[in-house]
Amino acid sequence: MLLILLGVLVLHLIILILLIVSTAASAWTVGGDRSSDLWYNCMTTNGGYHCKPASNEDWLQAVQALMILAVLFCFFSLIAFVYQLFRLVKGGRFFFTAIFQILASVFVMCGAIIYTVMSPDDAKVVFGYAYVLAWVAFPLCLISGLIYIVLRKKE
Amino acid sequence: MLTFLALASVVLLGIVPERSQAIVIYTGWERHALVGSDIRLSCSFFSWRWTSEDVTFSWTYRPDGSRDSISIFHYTGGAAYVDNKGPFRDRLEFVGNPGRRDGSILLKNLEFADNGTFTCDAKNPPDIVGRPSSVRLLVFEKVPIQAGVITGAIIGVVLGLLVLIVVIYYLMRFLVARRVFSLSVSKHGKKKKEGSQQRQGPAPPADPSKIKV
C-alpha cells in the first residue's frame, strides 16, 4: 500500500530526471571530440571547448519541442498524481495522471524516432548518452502510465 | 540605510559626468534579407548632450572575407552624401532623421555580393568618444527557418490544445450539471435529489474516459 505508492512515486521521479537530463544535455550524437544535438554542437579542439548553436533544421526543432513537451507532461502528471492522491474518492483510478504520463511517453517516442530517422549518417559518429536516456525513458514512462491506469485508491 | 543611499547617490553623481562624454551607438546585430529586396539598416545613438547641429553619421562597409572597409555614406553639416562610385551607387538612400538621432540608410535591390558588415559611426560634438557599432547583413535566396520558431510553434499548439481540452471538459461538466438541474426543476424535487446524488456518486475521473472517447 504505502510501499506501492512510494515505489510508483520513485519511478515517476526517476523518469522525470531521465527526461530532464536527456533534454538538457547536448549529447545525442557524439563522435571523437565532438558532441552535438539538441541544443549545441560542441567541439573540443586543442584550443579548448567551442560550442555553437545546433542547426536550425526543422526536424531538430521538432525533436526539441517534443522532448520539452514530454518533460512538461511528465511534470504535470506528477502534480496530477499528488493532487489526485489527496482529492480522489476512495476506489477511484488515477486517470488524469495516467493520461499525462502516457502522452509524455508518446512524445518521447516520437522525438526519439524522428531523431533516429533524420539524423545524418556519418561513419565516425555514434549516438550519445542523452539519446540512450530518451529511449530508456520511453518504456519506463509507458509502464508508469499503465500502472496509474490500474492503480486504485484504497478504501 | 539612509546614509548608504546618500553615499550611493553622491558616488553616482560623481561618476556620471565622466561617463557622459561617451556616445553609445545602436545598430542591429544581424539582418537577414532576400535577394532583390530592400533593407533598412538602422543606426541611432545615445548621448548625454543635446543633439548638436554638427552631428555626423557615417556608414562603412566591409564585404565578407575582405579586410578593407569602404566608406559608403556620410552625413555632415546638414547634408547627406551617399555612395556614387562604390558598390552601392544608386542603391543607397538616406532615410534617417538626424534631429531625432536616427542615421538609418536604405539599401535597395540587394545582391549576394552585399553580404558583409556595415558599421555606423555617429558623432555628436562635443560628445565624440564612442565605439562604432556594426550590423551584419546576410542575403539569402530564401529566408531560412530561424532557430526555435518551429519548436515554439509545436509547444504552443500542444499546450494550447491541452488548455482547450481542459476548458471544454469543465465547461461540459458545468453545462451538463446545469441541464440536469434545470430539467429536474420543472419536474419533481425528488428527481432533482436523485440527479444530484448521481452526479457525486461516480468518481469524477470516470468522466474523462467517456468524454475523450
Side-chain angles (χ1 to χ4, degrees):
Chain A
M1 298 13 91
L2 202 62
L3 217 61
I4 293 178
L5 203 65
L6 209 62
V8 159
L9 193 65
V10 164
L11 179 66
H12 199 138
L13 286 172
I14 288 178
I15 293 170
L16 189 63
I17 292 176
L18 284 180
L19 282 175
I20 289 179
V21 169
S22 170
T23 307
S26 266
W28 283 58
T29 299
V30 296
D33 52 3
R34 192 171 84 81
S35 100
S36 69
D37 277 341
L38 281 191
W39 306 103
Y40 285 110
N41 291 4
C42 291
M43 224 181 291
T44 320
T45 56
N46 40 9
Y49 200 58
H50 298 289
C51 285
K52 64 176 164 85
S55 57
N56 288 345
E57 290 157 8
D58 32 16
W59 60 268
L60 193 62
Q61 293 192 30
V63 175
Q64 289 171 351
L66 286 169
M67 289 308 292
I68 290 180
L69 282 172
V71 169
L72 280 176
F73 273 63
C74 194
F75 183 64
F76 290 159
S77 126
L78 188 67
I79 293 179
F81 178 58
V82 172
Y83 175 76
Q84 289 200 302
L85 204 60
F86 294 115
R87 290 307 214 107
L88 205 55
V89 294
K90 306 280 186 196
R93 295 187 193 265
F94 293 85
F95 270 129
F96 266 127
T97 313
I99 283 172
F100 279 124
Q101 190 78 320
I102 290 184
L103 277 177
S105 85
V106 166
F107 287 143
V108 176
M109 180 185 78
C110 290
I113 286 179
I114 292 178
Y115 190 82
T116 312
V117 167
M118 297 294 291
S119 77
D121 268 328
D122 215 350
K124 283 180 294 183
V125 293
V126 293
F127 289 117
Y129 70 88
Y131 174 80
V132 171
L133 284 182
W135 273 116
V136 165
F138 153 59
L140 284 181
C141 205
L142 196 61
I143 290 172
S144 169
L146 292 174
I147 289 179
Y148 283 125
I149 288 185
V150 302
L151 201 67
R152 270 177 184 278
K153 191 165 182 188
K154 275 291 200 223
E155 318 292 326
Chain B
M1 180 68 179
L2 275 174
T3 45
F4 172 69
L5 277 175
L7 272 172
S9 54
V10 164
V11 165
L12 282 173
L13 283 172
I15 289 180
V16 155
E18 269 142 49
R19 284 270 180 90
S20 72
Q21 297 307 317
I23 187 174
V24 184
I25 303 176
Y26 304 105
T27 61
W29 180 254
E30 219 175 60
R31 289 280 176 267
H32 299 197
L34 287 174
V35 164
S37 68
D38 302 342
I39 189 158
R40 179 175 196 266
L41 297 173
S42 67
C43 176
S44 67
F45 66 87
F46 172 77
S47 163
W48 288 99
R49 305 273 179 175
W50 296 112
T51 312
S52 93
E53 284 155 8
D54 302 325
V55 64
T56 64
F57 287 97
S58 55
W59 282 92
T60 57
Y61 167 62
R62 182 170 60 84
D64 264 351
S66 160
R67 260 187 295 185
D68 308 317
S69 308
I70 177 172
S71 180
I72 57 170
F73 173 81
H74 194 66
Y75 175 93
T76 184
Y81 302 90
V82 297
D83 178 13
N84 51 4
K85 296 187 186 36
F88 294 101
R89 84 180 128 250
D90 300 331
R91 292 198 290 142
L92 194 62
E93 195 187 314
F94 180 56
V95 293
N97 187 348
R100 290 192 193 278
R101 302 181 169 186
D102 178 17
S104 311
I105 53 172
L106 181 72
L107 260 56
K108 294 189 269 223
N109 206 3
L110 288 169
E111 304 158 0
F112 281 121
D114 295 336
N115 270 296
T117 310
F118 292 79
T119 308
C120 175
D121 192 10
K123 298 199 189 311
N124 183 28
D127 209 353
I128 55 141
V129 177
R131 274 199 193 91
S133 171
S134 304
V135 53
R136 223 175 136 224
L137 179 65
L138 294 160
V139 181
F140 294 103
E141 179 93 1
K142 67 177 171 99
V143 183
I145 314 163
Q146 292 220 300
V149 166
I150 297 182
T151 311
I154 295 179
I155 294 180
V157 164
V158 171
L159 288 180
L161 275 175
L162 182 72
V163 166
L164 198 68
I165 289 176
V166 167
V167 161
I168 289 179
Y169 166 67
Y170 277 112
L171 201 68
M172 299 254 304
R173 238 177 47 154
F174 174 69
L175 284 180
V176 167
R178 257 258 178 112
R179 202 175 302 161
V180 166
F181 184 66
S182 62
L183 260 176
S184 42
V185 156
S186 58
K187 300 191 179 177
H188 323 272
K190 217 183 349 180
K191 265 274 168 85
K192 168 176 139 192
K193 286 206 186 83
E194 268 180 22
S196 62
Q197 265 173 14
Q198 221 170 0
R199 287 294 317 151
Q200 284 164 12
D207 293 340
S209 62
K210 268 191 221 150
I211 291 184
K212 284 202 192 299
V213 167

